[in-house]
Amino acid sequence: MRSKYNCLMTVLLLTVLAYQGKAQMPDSVQTYLDTCLIVLKNNALYANRVNWKEKEAEVRAKAKTKAEAFEALKVVFESLGDMHAAFYHEDNSFRLDNAALVERYSDSLKAAWKRGPQIAPRMIDGFAYFVVPFMGAKGQKQIDWYANWLYDEVAKLHKQRPKGWMIDLRLNSGGNIRPMLAGLAPFFSEGVVSYYISKNGEASDEASFKNGDFLIDGQVQAIIKDKMVQLPAAKVAVLIGPGTASSGEITAAVFSKRTNTVLMGAPTAGLANATNGFVFNDNKTYFLISTARIADASKVCFPETIYPNSPIHGQESFQELMQDEIVKAAINWLRQ
């Protein structure tokens, strides 16, 4: 009898303790954590990397207040291993350290980035050269502006009758893909070029070219004011490297399926996927996470690191292009 009594008291004690532990967390904190975890679990491209039962328990044990939630949720981001992700909460921000990528940046690359986004068009030995820089366009007005900026420089170079083209994506750390591909539309034949593929294998965001425009799901993405002739057969060398990231990598991937084209340089940053943003908690919390892979017209996924057809292990020199080993190699290929 005493044994049963002791067991009953133990069960009651554990129940009370469990209730007290749960009661320590206010409903607002519970709801906040639930929302954060559901967003990540249901949308993150790399959700299958996480032991959710274990990590959810760890987060709830660490976060009894919203002030503690930021540090607690870092463990989930670390488990996701999403180098493309960012977590913002009020004045706090978190990204995974990507030291291996940063070590690949040359001094010339870092110096060029400091000068800000430039297209830097020029003719070199009868060949056209230009940079497609980072394009942080937000809203349709900015998308149109960036697209026309790039498109107009391509049109000016075309008037000089180049024998071939060098498109430099090595300084393109990402941004908005829409003005990039809209500005580069003259180089593509009509048709579908890519899709986004979710973690569940669902295809969306069909990207294509038609009538000299770049479209997603049949909708023109930027209004080009003064269109030029199309150049789908032009010989093109696309220059890539560790500074080529995100939308820059997607641009390289799309070019990799184009005829009469070669990718030259070094492997890209490894962020060739699609991201999405999630805002909640009265606009105080923002998740940017990878949500889809990029696939070609046949819905075959590209690797998240884009590799050159012709690897060039040489010095970059964005200030003195004739000393740049990748530019020299591109000119040699264009001459063939």
Side-chain angles (χ1 to χ4, degrees):
M1 185 73 177
R2 182 173 295 180
S3 177
K4 289 183 178 179
Y5 175 79
N6 289 338
C7 288
L8 179 60
M9 290 303 296
T10 301
V11 170
L12 288 171
L13 179 60
L14 290 173
T15 302
V16 170
L17 289 173
Y19 176 79
Q20 288 178 340
K22 193 170 185 179
Q24 288 176 0
M25 183 182 291
D27 288 346
S28 61
V29 178
Q30 183 76 35
T31 301
Y32 174 64
L33 292 178
D34 287 345
T35 304
C36 291
L37 292 167
I38 288 170
V39 165
L40 294 173
K41 189 174 184 178
N42 291 351
N43 296 281
L45 179 61
Y46 310 115
N48 62 356
R49 294 176 178 177
V50 180
N51 182 329
W52 287 100
K53 184 176 180 180
E54 175 186 298
K55 293 305 173 184
E56 285 179 17
E58 187 175 345
V59 167
R60 296 184 197 284
K62 287 184 175 181
K64 301 302 181 186
T65 67
K66 282 190 179 181
E68 296 171 337
F70 179 79
E71 291 297 325
L73 286 164
K74 283 183 183 180
V75 303
V76 181
F77 278 85
E78 289 166 351
S79 296
L80 287 170
D82 185 353
M83 293 297 180
H84 216 163
F87 172 23
Y88 301 92
H89 176 68
E90 296 183 342
D91 294 329
N92 299 308
S93 63
F94 175 72
R95 283 181 181 269
L96 289 179
D97 182 32
N98 201 345
L101 175 61
V102 174
E103 286 179 4
R104 296 176 59 204
Y105 296 161
S106 68
D107 290 340
S108 181
L109 176 68
K110 289 183 280 189
W113 271 335
K114 286 182 179 179
R115 291 193 287 272
Q118 299 178 14
I119 294 176
R122 68 196 69 184
M123 295 293 294
I124 304 175
D125 288 348
F127 301 102
Y129 167 94
F130 66 93
V131 174
V132 182
F134 170 87
M135 293 187 174
K138 296 179 181 179
Q140 193 59 50
K141 185 175 181 180
Q142 288 189 7
I143 290 172
D144 288 344
W145 186 89
Y146 274 102
N148 281 277
W149 177 40
L150 178 58
Y151 195 105
D152 290 347
E153 295 300 339
V154 172
K156 289 175 187 176
L157 285 169
H158 177 253
K159 290 178 180 179
Q160 299 186 55
R161 300 174 181 269
K163 295 177 288 185
W165 296 78
M166 288 174 279
I167 300 177
D168 199 338
L169 299 177
R170 293 175 297 168
L171 295 169
N172 191 323
S173 58
N176 195 322
I177 191 70
R178 290 165 173 80
M180 295 179 200
L181 291 180
L184 295 168
F187 293 100
F188 292 93
S189 301
E190 293 197 356
V192 175
V193 292
S194 71
Y195 291 92
Y196 289 174
I197 306 294
S198 73
K199 65 185 177 75
N200 299 321
E202 299 166 348
S204 66
D205 295 77
E206 180 188 83
S208 62
F209 292 97
K210 184 177 180 180
N211 298 328
D213 290 313
F214 174 61
L215 295 79
I216 295 179
D217 290 335
Q219 300 297 313
V220 173
Q221 295 300 300
I223 302 300
I224 301 300
K225 296 176 182 177
D226 299 307
K227 289 185 179 177
M228 59 178 279
V229 299
Q230 297 300 102
L231 306 170
K235 197 170 185 180
V236 177
V238 178
L239 315 186
I240 61 173
T244 312
S246 189
S247 295
E249 290 174 284
I250 298 172
T251 301
V254 170
F255 267 101
S256 74
K257 296 296 181 177
R258 182 186 180 275
T259 59
N260 216 17
T261 304
V262 64
L263 270 56
M264 309 189 78
T268 62
L271 305 175
N273 54 43
T275 59
N276 206 345
F278 299 86
V279 181
F280 39 92
N281 189 35
D282 296 325
N283 294 322
K284 295 177 182 177
T285 302
Y286 175 68
F287 289 167
L288 178 71
I289 55 175
S290 298
T291 55
R293 298 283 299 276
I294 309 302
D296 63 17
S298 300
K299 301 181 182 178
V300 176
C301 288
F302 290 105
E304 291 181 287
T305 298
I306 308 301
Y307 290 86
N309 307 115
S310 179
I312 308 297
H313 305 288
Q315 177 182 347
E316 293 176 325
S317 180
F318 294 100
Q319 195 71 3
E320 299 291 338
L321 287 177
M322 290 311 298
Q323 297 177 17
D324 190 301
E325 297 297 333
I326 300 174
V327 170
K328 289 191 284 186
I331 291 172
N332 289 336
W333 178 78
L334 290 168
R335 283 175 176 157
Q336 295 173 10

